[in-house]
Amino acid sequence: MTKSNKYKQIFEDLSEKIQDGTYKTNSILPSENELTLIYSTSRETIRKALTLLAQKGLIQKLRGKGSLVLDVSRMDFPISGLVSFKELQTSMGRDDIETTVHEFGLINADKHLGSIFDVSDDTEIWNVVRSRRIQGERIILDKSYFLKSEVPLLTKEICENSIYEYLESKLGLPIDFAKKEIIVEECKEEDRRYLDLDEYDHVVVVRNYVHLKNAALFEYTESRHRLDKFRFVDFARRKH
Amino acid sequence: MTKSNKYKQIFEDLSEKIQDGTYKTNSILPSENELTLIYSTSRETIRKALTLLAQKGLIQKLRGKGSLVLDVSRMDFPISGLVSFKELQTSMGRDDIETTVHEFGLINADKHLGSIFDVSDDTEIWNVVRSRRIQGERIILDKSYFLKSEVPLLTKEICENSIYEYLESKLGLPIDFAKKEIIVEECKEEDRRYLDLDEYDHVVVVRNYVHLKNAALFEYTESRHRLDKFRFVDFARRKH
DNA sequence: AAGTGGTCTAGACCACAAA
DNA sequence: TTGTGGTCTAGACCACTTC
């Protein structure tokens, strides 16, 4: 195990055993008391692991009964949360996605970007415009902006692969939370230029605001999708 | 306080104090140890309450520093999770929304509904079709289905107001989690009949699958929105 | 009555941030 | 060094389900 936290180790172990069928769909996991013996730990630690499993949608806790293993195969990719394009790609088993970088470089914030990032004008910002070709058609246009102060170095090569892998693994940026907004807009000139729009005159626009652990916005990405190929899945648990 | 759980009471109390400005944006909450004294409870209970606040996006926990109060005014209504139309209405300060019930009654599940609910054909299901008129225009078409076994009684009057208020407050249904799917579809005949579509030939379709605490699907709703009025906001926190 | 998960306690040690 | 949040423990009592 690589993780240091005991409850995360237990979470990952149970997660694997559910995915590989050791614990089968619609069966009940060993009780919390049994799990304390299996993993030689306290019950609260077991409960932390089970809470994670429930939040991830792998189990359903039933008071008085036990923890029910849910149908994993039915779950679509959970975009809710932060997901890079590369993750999406692999989780959907697609290898036929091509990324083309159309614009890449440093720009100075204008009024619009300045107000989004809450920084003064002429703050340096990375500007990346990419299109995604899926099964031969250019379907998605991604316009990304990163604060240079948080991302000192970026290259075109990195943008052609997964920027997030670079940001998180290499740079170790403490990404914490994101706000997504989904609306539909009329096609603009840039959509017609970079996408195969066919007859469609609207695009689905996903605006993504990504914050670091210090609560500062460090990335803003606008993802423009052709109508017919857009799909968003959200798995949400009832609060309180 | 009405809630029985201590950590929920504390969560609600802190939540109010943040929203009414007792604890100001960008300030630090009293430390966990101080809160144990304020609320006369153990630290783990305080931490449960703070975890809820963090999940709701009201605070940001910073190791070694404290719990930072986030800017509440910036947050849009968090749809992520379960939101009834009525909730949306009030949270956005709109009183000019009219609901019209077009279809209401019991039907027997066909193949399609049967597979969605995972019940045998001819299981009894409530069928409710409603349109939402906002500022004079019919913008949203809601097609809802409820398992009769879980919702014994439903009336047209209830459907004209908030079904969810009825289900949760009156019936006390233990609603637990929901899966949302958002896609774009071409307009169908029912869209043209019940909505003011103007020139639009597509609608945004939100499919909502709502489960009870026993993990059974009890509601399926298809919400069909006119393109130009659709908006979805999601506030997501990084997992582990 | 027995077993399950839900809540709560009073401690302990650790990792991190700031002075 | 001090104070913060993060993790972990061993026990307790409660609410619910099943028998």
Side-chain angles (χ1 to χ4, degrees), chain B residues 32 43-44 47 63-64:
Chain B
E32 296 181 351
R43 194 172 148 229
E44 285 290 358
R47 285 179 53 73
R63 179 190 296 222

Side-chain angles (χ1 to χ4, degrees), chain A residues 17-216:
Chain A
K17 287 189 165 58
I18 287 173
Q19 312 238 14
D20 73 16
T22 305
Y23 295 126
K24 296 199 168 29
T25 297
N26 289 326
S27 69
I28 298 287
L29 285 185
S31 75
E32 297 182 349
N33 282 320
E34 288 171 319
L35 289 172
T36 62
L37 301 177
I38 294 175
Y39 290 101
S40 306
T41 186
S42 72
R43 192 170 151 232
E44 285 290 358
T45 300
I46 291 294
R47 284 179 55 72
K48 266 194 178 177
L50 293 182
T51 298
L52 274 184
L53 287 173
Q55 283 174 352
K56 250 208 149 189
L58 292 172
I59 65 169
Q60 183 77 10
K61 299 174 100 178
L62 301 171
R63 178 190 297 223
K65 292 166 84 172
S67 294
L68 176 66
V69 179
L70 296 179
D71 189 348
V72 185
S73 69
R74 275 211 182 177
M75 297 198 323
D76 296 82
F77 56 92
I79 290 204
S80 178
L82 304 168
V83 162
S84 73
F85 192 77
K86 201 79 177 185
E87 287 175 65
L88 252 183
Q89 221 169 312
T90 57
S91 76
M92 297 186 70
R94 285 207 179 131
D95 291 315
D96 51 355
I97 301 187
E98 271 178 56
T99 297
T100 306
V101 179
H102 298 285
E103 295 179 27
F104 171 77
L106 275 173
I107 60 175
N108 292 318
D110 55 12
K111 272 253 172 55
H112 180 232
L113 283 176
S115 74
I116 289 177
F117 281 100
D118 197 21
V119 297
S120 65
D121 291 12
D122 80 334
T123 300
E124 281 191 308
I125 290 182
W126 289 104
N127 169 44
V128 183
V129 176
R130 295 175 291 178
S131 67
R132 317 291 196 171
R133 186 187 295 269
I134 303 174
Q135 294 167 340
E137 288 185 297
R138 294 175 302 165
I139 298 298
I140 305 174
L141 179 63
D142 279 346
K143 299 168 61 182
S144 300
Y145 304 91
F146 302 89
L147 269 192
K148 171 123 192 306
S149 57
E150 302 290 347
V151 187
L153 179 67
L154 203 59
T155 69
K156 206 174 169 194
E157 286 65 41
I158 293 171
C159 295
E160 281 164 352
N161 292 284
S162 175
I163 292 185
Y164 262 81
E165 192 184 66
Y166 170 68
L167 297 180
E168 293 207 82
S169 302
K170 301 290 197 305
L171 247 50
L173 278 186
I175 291 169
D176 191 54
F177 66 99
K179 198 186 84 172
K180 275 192 175 56
E181 181 187 27
I182 302 176
I183 59 173
V184 179
E185 278 186 9
E186 287 184 25
C187 296
K188 297 199 283 194
E189 189 276 333
E190 60 187 357
D191 301 315
R192 300 188 197 284
R193 183 175 354 158
Y194 294 126
L195 299 180
D196 297 320
L197 283 177
D198 292 7
E199 79 279 17
Y200 302 104
D201 50 3
H202 288 78
V203 288
V204 179
V205 179
V206 181
R207 299 211 172 94
N208 207 11
Y209 303 83
V210 185
H211 298 251
L212 298 178
K213 286 217 192 303
N214 64 9

